[in-house]
Amino acid sequence: MKKNLLILLAIFVFIGISAQQPGNFKNFTVSVYARAYEVRDMGDLKKLEATWNEITQQLKVDKIYLETHRDKIIVDEKTLETAKKFFLSHGVKVAGGITYTMDERNHFETFCYSNPEHRKKAQEIAELTARHFDEFILDDFFFTSCKCDLCIRAKGNLSWTQYRLNLMTSAGRDLIVNPAKAVNPKVKVVIKYPNWYEHFQGLGFNLEVEPTYFDGIYTGTETRDPMRSTQHLQQYESYLIFRYFENIAPGRNGGGWVDPGGASTMDRYAEQLWLTLFAKAPEITLFDYRQLQTLLKPSHRASWQGTQTSFDYDEMMKPIQTAGGQTVQPTTIARAAGYTFEKVDAFLDKLGNPKGIKSYRPYHATGEDFIQNYFGMMGIPMDIVPEFPSEPKMIILTESAKFDPQIVQKIKDRLAAGKNVMITSGLLHALQGKGIEDIVELKFTDRKALVSDFSAGRGSSCTSKTPILIPQIEYLTNDSWEDITSTNGASGWPILHQTRYSKAYLYILTIPDNFSDLYNYPAEVLNRIRTIVTQDLSVRVEGPSQVSLFCYDNGTFIVESFQPEPVTVKVVINGSLSTLTDLVTSQEIKGIPGTSPQIWGRESMATSGFEITLKPHSYNVFQIK
Ligand SMILES: [Zn+2]
């Protein structure tokens, strides 16, 4: 009996130790996802050992996701167990993964959840996975794009959005989570969402309900190339989408997920990884086991390399000393990830909780798609929230806010409580005739103007490099006022417009027809917009666009340039006595005293200015003293 007790105690101690095994990095867990295509070959241990060695000599890995299904490939259970044993014996945590695709190569052909046979198969896959793992994650594809005759009949008079929302919300519960828990009551089931959040509802992803019954959610933070990829996602989204999902399920957003697809240089790949971590993701998953074996090639070295940028290709390529005393030459993109993680892990623990200007996106809303990410690229720290924010002094509402039927009343209540609101011209357009005129009588006309001359406060004039096409907004003289004006010939139109209502100000920001032209607003225009909108923050940036600011609640912040050339910006901090410490180099910088520009309804205040030159695609990390 005593002997048995001792053995039991020894087992407990062992479990305790292995559960507390420290990760490879101080601030996050690094995971690798392996697709069914690769997992099905993992019965060949010799091959597995070789590929695993190649990856882990270059990149420290804490956890692996082993996929059981993709494209009708189901990994046999013996191979799953062999692979599991292999990774556990290498001290790596193991979880499962499922991709619910029929054929990924056919426009990501999904299952049809109106089809009883597909439903049965989906459930069997969840059950099989739960038998082998205490945790599994659904990759991007737990949605449906099916418009077969079964779906058309079942949809009836509902919209596709409503039909698919209903269908997938119940499929998640009835075919995945409940059956998995029936097989393994301990199992943690996580749904990973892709990067196209603005369009989820149309294909059945339900951000309102699914996070309440899945054990966790996970965030696709890959943004690839804003110009060349068909999605045209802005780089800033790699940060903002993680924050948004964290606001939907606080503490249950497990991590961010990046693949190297569409990243023509290793800088673009590294940027997505560090932006995910700037958002304070506790785990980062690298997709996938196969892609991490992609050979590094000369074209991965960006043209601005050799100037000590944040991602320093030549430093990354230096031989690595392994724990076993070996010298290893980097060969694959696993090293790009490993190198990036080692650099950011050195300062992430000094950052507080991320802070940004709140922008409200009601559940299942669309309108001015993804525009908050453009604001982030304009140097405005952003934070998307699923509930209407009542607290901060300023919020930004975009066209998607029209999905809240109470939106006009909520704006009025905020203004009456002395709190400002900025709305976009798209939201003004959507609310025209729906009550917004009760606050201010403006007219969003059908006319356009092509403008390149601007005046940003107190008659200071400036010019954009290219003409910008904007909607013409009309207002009643002396009822509301232009804060930033654009002109062409003898006519002019507001870029930023303001009116007083009750105890606060409503601002209207004109959005160019091409959102990308937001980046072409001259620095003076951008500075004025930033000054007005960032009143809840003690830091702002002055200078051109495509320089982002990331703020934290403990006086730390990051300035990052997405430009291919060096760029000089001015960081302005409230208070006249500030000093900045660079958290990477420990260098101290003294500020130049100044005063904040005149804004209606706001006291002018003392500021400190810091001129900073950022290298291409690089960040600086600072602490205010
Ligand atoms: Zn169907």
Side-chain angles (χ1 to χ4, degrees):
M1 187 66 193
K2 254 189 185 163
K3 194 177 160 197
N4 282 349
L5 253 174
L6 269 178
I7 290 170
L8 212 62
L9 200 70
I11 289 171
F12 277 133
V13 168
F14 175 73
I15 291 171
I17 288 168
S18 54
Q20 284 163 21
Q21 204 173 46
N24 289 304
F25 297 93
K26 283 182 289 175
N27 297 291
F28 47 87
T29 298
V30 172
S31 303
V32 171
Y33 190 90
R35 307 180 309 162
Y37 289 100
E38 281 68 48
V39 177
R40 68 177 169 178
D41 293 337
M42 286 182 178
D44 181 345
L45 285 175
K46 221 173 138 192
K47 200 174 137 197
L48 179 58
E49 185 81 51
T51 52
W52 181 244
N53 263 344
E54 187 177 40
I55 292 172
T56 53
Q57 282 174 343
Q58 305 178 85
L59 161 73
K60 293 178 184 121
V61 180
D62 301 297
K63 181 174 173 182
I64 187 146
Y65 291 96
L66 299 172
E67 189 174 82
T68 59
H69 172 274
R70 174 180 298 246
D71 294 353
K72 292 187 274 192
I73 292 167
I74 295 181
V75 178
D76 76 68
E77 304 198 35
K78 193 168 156 250
T79 305
L80 275 181
E81 283 305 313
T82 305
K84 242 175 84 176
K85 220 174 116 192
F86 173 87
F87 289 107
L88 289 171
S89 72
H90 284 72
V92 177
K93 291 190 193 110
V94 177
I98 302 174
T99 293
Y100 280 110
T101 45
M102 283 293 169
D103 181 2
E104 210 182 339
R105 270 159 261 196
N106 177 29
H107 286 125
F108 307 119
E109 183 184 341
T110 63
F111 279 48
C112 169
Y113 297 89
S114 311
N115 179 329
E117 276 171 42
H118 286 206
R119 290 176 70 91
K120 187 163 162 270
K121 188 47 89 188
Q123 178 171 340
E124 283 169 10
I125 295 164
E127 288 165 346
L128 174 143
T129 310
R131 273 202 300 278
H132 292 276
F133 301 96
D134 289 338
E135 177 189 352
F136 69 86
I137 191 166
L138 307 184
D139 186 12
D140 284 359
F141 303 92
F142 190 61
F143 67 87
T144 183
S145 55
C146 190
K147 283 186 180 169
C148 73
D149 293 338
L150 278 175
C151 284
I152 292 170
R153 251 196 315 277
K155 171 181 120 41
N157 292 327
L158 296 175
S159 65
W160 280 110
T161 292
Q162 198 53 59
Y163 175 64
R164 287 171 173 171
L165 271 177
N166 296 348
L167 182 71
M168 295 312 293
T169 308
S170 58
R173 197 182 274 127
D174 302 341
L175 307 179
I176 314 295
V177 176
N178 291 347
K181 296 211 187 254
V183 169
N184 176 0
K186 277 190 302 189
V187 75
K188 179 182 175 194
V189 188
V190 176
I191 182 164
K192 184 234 162 178
Y193 292 112
N195 53 22
W196 39 278
Y197 63 88
E198 185 95 29
H199 305 143
F200 278 180
Q201 58 283 348
L203 293 103
F205 275 130
N206 189 336
L207 283 178
E208 186 174 16
V209 180
E210 285 165 357
T212 65
Y213 68 78
F214 275 93
D215 299 300
I217 65 171
Y218 215 89
T219 311
T221 54
E222 54 225 357
T223 45
R224 309 202 168 95
D225 187 296
M227 259 95 80
R228 285 179 309 170
S229 88
T230 50
Q231 285 188 293
H232 302 289
L233 300 175
Q234 306 308 295
Q235 298 94 316
Y236 189 81
E237 186 181 330
S238 290
Y239 165 88
L240 185 57
I241 189 174
F242 184 87
R243 296 311 312 158
Y244 174 38
F245 290 177
E246 179 68 19
N247 291 330
I248 287 174
R252 293 194 303 122
N253 183 11
W257 171 304
V258 176
D259 73 34
S264 52
T265 66
M266 281 302 103
D267 296 61
R268 182 75 274 266
Y269 180 47
E271 245 168 29
Q272 298 172 65
L273 300 174
W274 74 53
L275 287 166
T276 302
L277 295 168
F278 290 176
K280 290 283 180 133
E283 177 177 310
I284 187 156
T285 292
L286 300 172
F287 184 96
D288 66 311
Y289 196 84
R290 166 202 50 145
Q291 287 181 322
L292 287 172
Q293 297 166 52
T294 307
L295 292 177
L296 288 161
K297 52 185 184 193
S299 66
H300 284 146
R301 189 180 183 275
S303 57
W304 50 81
Q305 281 296 328
T307 59
Q308 285 86 50
T309 47
S310 291
F311 181 82
D312 185 334
Y313 193 93
D314 305 332
E315 190 179 63
M316 184 265 297
M317 286 300 280
K318 283 185 181 160
I320 315 151
Q321 298 299 320
T322 67
Q326 265 180 291
T327 303
V328 177
Q329 186 60 46
T331 47
T332 76
I333 65 159
R335 185 59 200 143
Y339 166 75
T340 302
F341 295 151
E342 287 157 23
K343 282 197 92 170
V344 297
D345 196 38
F347 62 80
L348 283 175
D349 55 339
K350 300 187 178 104
L351 307 175
N353 297 313
K355 271 180 82 171
I357 305 305
K358 292 194 190 312
S359 184
Y360 168 46
R361 177 178 180 253
Y363 288 110
H364 319 313
T366 57
E368 292 178 321
D369 298 8
F370 300 102
I371 198 166
Q372 286 88 349
N373 301 295
Y374 290 83
F375 297 159
M377 297 295 289
M378 288 163 71
I380 304 171
M382 294 300 301
D383 194 22
I384 304 178
V385 291
E387 308 292 345
F388 186 86
S390 54
E391 263 323 298
K393 284 184 231 159
M394 174 64 95
I395 61 170
I396 306 183
L397 300 176
T398 68
E399 191 192 341
S400 58
K402 73 184 177 188
F403 275 74
D404 183 336
Q406 305 299 317
I407 193 67
V408 173
Q409 188 57 47
K410 288 178 181 173
I411 295 171
K412 284 183 186 172
D413 291 347
R414 258 191 78 90
L415 296 170
K419 286 163 186 165
N420 303 319
V421 178
M422 185 177 285
I423 67 170
T424 59
S425 50
L427 182 60
L428 170 70
H429 189 195
L431 296 181
Q432 198 155 265
K434 302 207 168 111
I436 192 78
E437 42 287 316
D438 218 23
I439 301 174
V440 59
E441 291 181 88
L442 298 176
K443 196 161 147 205
F444 184 101
T445 70
D446 293 334
R447 295 192 303 276
K448 306 284 179 194
L450 195 61
V451 297
S452 44
D453 294 324
F454 300 85
S455 157
R458 304 245 163 171
S460 71
S461 62
C462 49
T463 309
S464 59
K465 280 194 201 115
T466 53
I468 298 172
L469 190 66
I470 57 158
Q472 293 185 16
I473 294 171
E474 289 181 348
Y475 60 95
L476 305 179
T477 302
N478 286 332
D479 180 56
S480 58
W481 302 88
E482 292 183 22
D483 192 286
I484 305 174
T485 300
S486 60
T487 55
N488 189 342
S491 302
W493 307 271
I495 293 297
L496 188 64
H497 201 72
Q498 56 115 330
T499 188
R500 183 148 178 112
Y501 178 89
S502 184
K503 295 184 237 11
Y505 290 87
L506 177 74
Y507 289 91
I508 299 93
L509 176 64
T510 299
I511 304 298
D513 277 29
N514 177 355
F515 296 171
S516 172
D517 274 337
L518 285 165
Y519 304 159
N520 292 327
Y521 277 155
E524 293 85 346
V525 169
L526 294 166
N527 293 347
R528 181 79 189 163
I529 296 169
R530 293 177 191 127
T531 306
I532 288 171
V533 81
T534 61
Q535 56 185 282
D536 289 290
L537 304 172
S538 52
V539 189
R540 67 173 194 278
V541 169
E542 292 186 353
S545 65
Q546 286 162 293
V547 174
S548 291
L549 173 66
F550 304 89
C551 289
Y552 300 87
D553 65 357
N554 65 341
T556 55
F557 65 94
I558 299 171
V559 193
E560 172 169 5
S561 169
F562 294 96
Q563 299 210 22
E565 307 284 338
V567 58
T568 299
V569 297
K570 192 165 141 195
V571 172
V572 179
I573 295 170
N574 294 343
S576 57
L577 293 168
S578 300
T579 303
L580 288 186
T581 308
D582 184 314
L583 290 178
V584 174
T585 63
S586 302
Q587 197 197 342
E588 295 224 331
I589 317 171
K590 284 249 177 298
I592 298 155
T595 41
S596 61
Q598 170 67 42
I599 291 170
W600 290 106
R602 238 193 272 177
E603 303 268 322
S604 190
M605 70 173 94
T607 59
S608 305
F610 301 83
E611 207 169 79
I612 287 156
T613 299
L614 292 153
K615 290 183 171 146
H617 292 274
S618 292
Y619 56 81
N620 284 17
V621 191
F622 295 108
Q623 167 96 52
I624 305 168
K625 281 216 175 126

